[in-house]
Amino acid sequence: MHDIDESLLFLVYRADPTPPWLYLMVGMSIVGGGYGLVGIVPFALSRRSRETVLHLLAAIAVTALLVFAAKHGLGRSRPYLAVEGVRALGLPPPHDPSCPSGHAAGSACFAAFFADRRRPFRTALLATAAALVALSRVVLGVHFPLDVTAGALLGATVGLVAAKVSARKRSREAPHPAKTSDTVSP
């Protein structure tokens, strides 16, 4: 399995990527490292969306705990440490174990939490952003493709479950229309 993962790594990793591509990948990696959550601050301040934001943050915390436990349980080395010819690009290299990718997990959790089949464009944008975050980690030489796949699956699962729990809770707490009666009010 390691040989397949290494072959997949070299499909996207280049020791000298073009500057625009490298900048895009570094940017996506920074966003996926948690800095993208800054964008939810206004929603956290709004009474109307605060509870949803708290559910999202709980989902991301659960994802982070699961990633931490899996990383230390598996103890897989990062590509720049394990594969000749691969070096960490663009950012200071992480030194914790490689699998699963926390960036991919957190981004997939966020995307899955807000996915909505009634809003396919928004869902596609979120999925694309999460995929770019995952890809960035491979392009930068800090994760194998299976690391980001495992992270994305873990994060998406937690995000979907959290979204369902959040939606159920909101629907239970939403005011229900008064039961209609046969009498007509004046």
Side-chain angles (χ1 to χ4, degrees):
M1 190 61 110
H2 187 70
D3 291 339
I4 293 170
D5 212 17
E6 196 171 308
S7 297
L8 291 171
L9 170 73
F10 282 112
L11 286 176
V12 295
Y13 174 83
R14 300 287 176 266
D16 295 312
T18 61
W21 181 243
L22 179 62
Y23 300 150
L24 174 64
M25 293 293 98
V26 168
M28 293 309 297
S29 190
I30 290 169
V31 167
Y35 291 101
L37 289 176
V38 170
I40 68 169
V41 170
F43 299 99
L45 299 175
S46 165
R47 224 178 285 172
R48 187 171 155 215
S49 56
R50 185 175 300 137
E51 189 170 347
T52 300
V53 170
L54 291 174
H55 291 152
L56 169 65
L57 292 175
I60 289 176
V62 167
T63 299
L65 288 170
L66 292 173
V67 165
F68 179 83
K71 278 180 180 280
H72 293 283
L74 296 170
R76 185 175 194 195
S77 292
R78 292 187 178 265
Y80 74 90
L81 295 171
V83 179
E84 190 173 325
V86 175
R87 60 188 173 89
L89 303 172
L91 293 168
H95 295 287
D96 60 332
S98 188
C99 188
S101 165
H103 284 69
S107 299
C109 180
F110 185 94
F113 186 86
F114 287 112
D116 185 345
R117 71 182 122 188
R118 295 167 297 164
R119 294 186 173 107
F121 184 73
R122 177 179 83 178
T123 300
L125 281 176
L126 290 167
T128 299
L132 283 171
V133 168
L135 177 65
S136 75
R137 304 304 285 165
V138 178
V139 167
L140 298 177
V142 296
H143 280 292
F144 288 100
L146 292 179
D147 300 343
V148 298
T149 302
L153 289 172
L154 186 153
T157 301
V158 173
L160 287 171
V161 169
K164 285 184 187 244
V165 169
S166 181
R168 265 194 220 121
K169 186 166 189 206
R170 283 192 317 269
S171 72
R172 280 194 306 254
E173 293 174 356
H176 296 286
K179 293 183 180 179
T180 58
S181 66
D182 294 334
T183 60
V184 178
S185 47

